Amino acid sequence: MDSLMETSGTAGLCSDAGLNAPPRPREIRPLLERLLGEAEERLQAPLRPLSENHQGYLETVAIDPAGNIWISGWIKKGQPLEFAAVLVDRQKFPAAVVLTSYDRPDLPDDAHALFGVILTSWRPASTNADIFVFFGEDMRFYLRSVKPLRVVDPKAAMELFEGVRIFCDGTHTSALQRMLTSAENWLPDTARVAGFPVQASVDDVLVVPGFGCFAQGWIISPVKRIHRLALKLGSVLLHAPPEAIRQVSRDDLRPAFPHWEHLAPQAGFVAMLRGDLPADEVVDPLLKVVFTDGSSVNFTIETKALRRIGHSAPIDSILDLYPSLPFEPAFADFAAALSREAVATLRGCNPVRVAPASRAAVFVLPSDRSDLYLLFEEVLNASRQHDDPPGFVFIGRRDRNFAEAAALFHDLEAAGVRGCSLFLADDPDYAFYELPGVLNAVAAERFLFAAAGVFLTPDGWSAALRALQRPGGLLHILADCQNGVAVGRPDSAAQCFVWSASAFAAWLRQAPIFVGGFHGDNLLLRSGARLVVHGNARRSIGQDDTADRLVARVNAQIAAAHGGAGHA
Amino acid sequence: MLDEASDSMPPIIRDRIAILSHAHPSVSKGGAEIAAYTLYSGLRELGIDALFIAACQEADRPRLHLGSEREHAVFYDPRAYDHFYHLSAPEVARQVARILAEERVSVANFHHFLFFGVNSLREVARGGSVRTILTLHEFLAICHHHGQMVTNPARLLCERSSPRACANCFTAKTWRQFDMRRILLQQVFAAVHGFISPSRFLVERFSDWGLSEDRMEVIENGLRHTPADPRRQAARQAGAPWVFGFFGQINPFKGVDTLLRAAEELARLQRAGPPLQIRIHGNVIGVNPEFAERFRTLAETLPGLSYAGPYDNNSVSRLMAACDYVLVPSTWWENSPLVIQEAYAARRPVICSNIGGMAEKVKPGISGLHFRVGDPLDLARTLGLAADEALYAKLTSGLPRVSNARRMARQYLAAFRRFATSLPDPASLASSGRTAAVSRRKRDDGAESPASVTVDYEDQ
């Protein structure tokens, strides 16, 4: 780390500085607080807005995310640029005012423009109100608001300051500038008023509600050393401890910054930022780069950089950014957050057609159109070959194949197959967890469940239909068949089984939700039910097992947290 | 394989026979539908109560012309068909079963499962009262690439299928899906009473795939129309240019590219003796613009190469008679190209690629010559060899007799009779954990029908 601190202008990060910023000299916060104290003592002073005591106007007011009130306007020359004040807006408010001034061509010679900050509990309630700011030894001087008072976006106030900063007199200019760039201030794009060179960009933010986010980007800071990073989404602040930040070489920046090309090897960063992030706060992203001298600069992140894990970005994509995640202490929290996200996706299955069936064969419709045709043909064939077939329940997804699935469902009914039901799920991958609702809707007492891409062999159909006829709590696992060889191992048991609906519902109430819907047997084999395994009973088709590496680890973590390793 | 003696076997006259084709010849002129209709015509000529049932798209209704009340159509929506597992909408299978039931058909000979769907075969077999026989015209059950057994997209010859190899050709499907496809088709085929193929080559390919050869019969496709006096068409004027005719769709799969390059080679060689002329007949269909342009340019500029334009099937005999040889330079296996039978009927030897059904149907040195598939230099060399009066005389005298509709029908009837006593493949049934019991069905008049069997399945 010493080498990083010594490197001139590097984007190196000082991990030894800890999370708390070092003291920053020449802050105006102590001055404001002192002046505010004086103002509170003078609240009872009589206040009369005599015309001869009118010293200027407030023209604009802006409130920044940190709650600071920035003002602009003009004031007669000779008046102090820092004072305790009483602000009157239908009632009195103590206030502390710190200003800087500059010449403005529209003003008379005896006046100059002002820009500054007011520390007060007052907030503008109406733009047409008469607002007075009394100041001076006996509070006889005052500034008055224009009507209507312009309440502007803090970005506009900052742009105004950026435009006049070099023309301001030096009394409080630098201090105000530092206040704009302080760690507490989340005004966007403050690099323009920072007074020192710094540029940054965030290329990708992978958001995990309930956990935080993973961000990657670059920072070029030729003058100041970087202390830490923070990211704001909505009203939530996310922080990256130093050990969760990685430096990455960005040779692609050399052409863009030829004067600072030696910073390229350390310019890139990947960071894991933690915070309790609700899903509805994933808005208005801002990056804060905090420097070792306490100053900071904020950068707006383009919203197109935002991706939500498990929604617009596959979970596995985190490993491309942050490959060490499965081995870090935060991994347990990450897994728990994903499991909670999975729970949030469970919104029940919408019934399209419901037919009562005390014995139900539930099939999740495959996403492949050809497999869809095959499933309905196999169901029709099975219904023809067996006396007293069960009711057939299909769970589909809202995709382009659903219309075709509905047509095939109708054809199945037209072929005389009774007791058919059709449901729509937002995410059929989690159909296993939606089963109680579906089974309740069709009033099933016993059921067969077959996940998407699972097809029963002739032996499997026979075993399943016999198991459906058999009452009791025996759990029948219909195991895979490979190349005609019976496979008796209960791998992926949760993808095809027969059980009692009430026993399953009772077990599911305490079972964990696995990301993606399945993790081996989903701990079904630890349900405590007596098992029967039928080999050579099913074939699983669909994409080859290129299971998301991270999902597998997450689910293993979830299983471990639940006290079971499961069969993965 | 049935021999000439089978021609004199009496036909079964108690069974009502349905010939099912994936298209009607009034709508489509492909080899399979023409062969199926020829068989139907032959059965009718023999006095057999035969039906012809064709699958037809709704959109083709205006073009469909059913020749008599014995011809039926099963209408389908091409959008409601899966071309991977070959499954139709259940309504199509019900249409097929309904027609067979209403017409009291006892033997259903499918000449394709395309558009009917293998589920139609299953539906018919499920009824138990109809013997199903499937005539295989290509390798669609084995190969998803149009049933040609060439790789996709390189179009290399595929020697043997496997789920993993097939998944390499079609990366949008998994090897497990291809395995499922094989299992499904083999399960459906297990309930079929027998299979007929026009070539031994196809029988061997399906045997490799898992179909028992005991359940397969080789019967050549017959021609519906044959020249009245084939001997008259064999005459050739000595010293006249040697004319090699190509008949068919003009595209690279039919070997036309090889032909064009052979023509270029021949033009480059300045050969002594009567000139060699390659005459191409057919439509330029389904080719990229570059190929079409090359074809047109060469046909117009290359000496010894000419394009005779499209032709009507009724004219093929006359057009072939105007050639000395018929060329079949296909770059895929082929099964039993109709053009070879047509060439023999016109008493013309065939020069073909040395693979697949072509090589089986053309005996080198007897009924024609082979050249190395896709090799234009070897084709050019072979054309040079063929331009020999003595060899030509030998080859024209060695041409086999061509089957006609009646002969084809007799051979099929003998096969139907043989398959009447066969059961669905017991090996397939055993692997599915089911057993089969056979019982004889009584007809409506109470008499036992010896040629009919029903199969009852019992779970183990």
Side-chain angles (χ1 to χ4, degrees), chain A residues 386 456-467, chain B residues 432-434 459-460:
Chain A
H386 298 270
L456 296 179
T457 64
D459 284 351
W461 276 108
S462 299
L465 297 179
R466 281 198 305 271
Chain B
S432 70
R434 317 187 79 207
D459 288 300
Q460 285 181 339

Side-chain angles (χ1 to χ4, degrees), chain B residues 190-233:
Chain B
V192 172
H193 287 73
F195 300 85
I196 296 172
S197 161
S199 78
R200 178 79 207 152
F201 175 74
L202 187 142
V203 166
E204 289 169 357
R205 280 296 168 107
F206 271 91
S207 175
D208 287 345
W209 181 71
L211 218 49
S212 168
E213 285 198 33
D214 293 342
R215 302 174 65 212
M216 293 192 274
E217 196 77 50
V218 179
I219 300 176
E220 183 58 84
N221 291 327
L223 293 182
R224 194 150 171 231
H225 304 291
T226 52
D229 186 354
R231 288 171 301 174
R232 193 147 52 96
Q233 299 188 56

Side-chain angles (χ1 to χ4, degrees), chain A residues 368-371 373-374 377-378 381 384-385 404 411 415 455 458-459 462 539-544, chain B residues 79-82 84-85 87 90 94 119 122 126 173-177 180 183 187 432-434 459:
Chain A
D368 182 277
R369 180 184 178 271
S370 296
D371 294 343
Y373 270 79
L374 181 61
E377 166 57 21
E378 292 293 285
N381 190 49
R384 292 273 195 267
Q385 290 187 333
E404 202 140 22
D411 274 343
F455 291 83
D459 284 351
S462 299
R539 291 178 189 275
S540 299
I541 64 178
Q543 290 304 317
D544 283 343
Chain B
R79 294 168 299 187
Y81 186 84
D82 171 59
F84 182 71
Y85 295 115
L87 296 169
R94 286 200 296 278
N119 49 316
R122 227 181 202 178
R126 230 177 343 243
K173 297 294 188 191
T174 67
W175 71 264
R176 290 192 180 88
Q177 286 176 296
M180 195 71 192
I183 290 166
Q187 278 181 354
S432 70
R434 317 187 79 207
D459 288 300

Side-chain angles (χ1 to χ4, degrees), chain A residues 420-540:
Chain A
C420 297
S421 301
L422 181 63
F423 290 82
L424 252 183
D426 284 342
D427 192 344
D429 289 345
Y430 290 93
F432 177 88
Y433 298 100
E434 305 277 23
L435 278 173
V438 170
L439 297 173
N440 197 49
V442 302
E445 294 169 10
R446 294 188 64 73
F447 72 101
L448 156 74
F449 174 73
V454 170
F455 291 83
L456 296 179
T457 64
D459 284 351
W461 276 108
S462 299
L465 297 179
R466 281 198 305 271
L468 281 170
Q469 298 276 8
R470 195 180 300 176
L474 207 58
L475 171 58
H476 297 258
I477 306 299
L478 302 170
D480 214 335
C481 167
Q482 294 177 11
N483 297 323
V485 176
V487 177
R489 291 173 59 202
D491 289 333
S492 307
Q495 300 212 6
C496 195
F497 62 96
V498 176
W499 207 7
S500 144
S502 57
F504 175 77
W507 168 79
L508 191 65
R509 277 192 280 272
Q510 50 78 44
I513 310 284
F514 288 105
V515 176
F518 289 102
H519 177 63
D521 65 334
N522 280 16
L523 304 184
L524 200 56
L525 300 184
R526 288 176 172 262
S527 63
R530 282 179 51 227
L531 298 177
V532 172
V533 178
H534 303 270
N536 198 34
R538 67 172 166 102
R539 291 178 189 275
S540 299

Side-chain angles (χ1 to χ4, degrees), chain A residues 78-119:
Chain A
Q79 292 296 340
L81 294 180
E82 59 183 67
F83 47 81
V86 175
L87 189 149
V88 178
D89 179 8
R90 291 162 300 154
Q91 67 182 79
K92 296 178 183 178
F93 297 87
V97 180
V98 172
L99 304 170
T100 187
S101 64
Y102 57 97
D103 288 330
R104 212 168 76 186
D106 63 313
L107 296 175
D109 292 340
D110 65 342
H112 51 192
L114 67 86
F115 179 86
V117 64
I118 295 183
L119 180 62

Side-chain angles (χ1 to χ4, degrees), chain B residues 182-388:
Chain B
R182 176 187 60 82
I183 290 166
L184 171 70
L185 287 163
Q186 288 181 343
Q187 278 181 354
V188 171
F189 283 9
V192 172
H193 287 73
F195 300 85
I196 296 172
S197 161
S199 78
R200 178 79 207 152
F201 175 74
L202 187 142
V203 166
E204 289 169 357
R205 280 296 168 107
F206 271 91
S207 175
D208 287 345
W209 181 71
L211 218 49
S212 168
E213 285 198 33
D214 293 342
R215 302 174 65 212
M216 293 192 274
E217 196 77 50
V218 179
I219 300 176
E220 183 58 84
N221 291 327
L223 293 182
R224 194 150 171 231
H225 304 291
T226 52
D229 186 354
R231 288 171 301 174
R232 193 147 52 96
Q233 299 188 56
R236 169 187 153 74
Q237 284 184 335
W242 290 94
V243 180
F244 302 88
F246 170 89
F247 296 82
Q249 282 190 4
I250 297 167
N251 62 49
F253 318 138
K254 289 294 187 181
V256 176
D257 192 48
T258 305
L259 196 51
L260 294 177
R261 288 186 289 153
E264 287 177 307
E265 175 65 12
L266 287 172
R268 190 182 64 79
L269 299 169
Q270 288 178 355
R271 188 183 166 276
L276 308 186
Q277 293 179 354
I278 296 174
R279 188 181 297 160
I280 298 180
H281 309 75
N283 279 315
V284 183
I285 291 180
V287 298
N288 61 50
E290 291 76 24
F291 178 85
E293 180 57 32
R294 171 174 154 76
F295 173 77
R296 262 188 282 278
T297 302
L298 289 176
E300 288 170 4
T301 61
L302 200 61
L305 179 69
S306 63
Y307 175 46
Y311 63 96
D312 183 84
N313 281 348
N314 294 324
S315 307
V316 70
S317 183
R318 174 178 58 79
L319 293 171
M320 285 182 176
C323 303
D324 297 303
Y325 287 88
V326 171
L327 297 172
V328 188
S330 296
T331 54
W332 73 283
W333 302 103
E334 295 277 6
N335 181 13
S336 180
L338 198 61
V339 66
I340 293 179
Q341 302 305 310
E342 289 170 333
Y344 290 161
R347 311 311 295 162
R348 293 294 177 263
V350 174
I351 298 174
C352 69
S353 304
N354 63 339
I355 56 168
M358 294 175 287
E360 177 183 325
K361 302 297 176 180
V362 178
K363 304 287 185 257
I366 298 174
S367 58
L369 299 172
H370 291 175
F371 72 94
R372 201 158 37 247
V373 59
D375 186 340
L377 298 183
D378 200 46
L379 174 56
R381 181 191 65 81
T382 304
L383 298 184
L385 281 177
D388 177 86

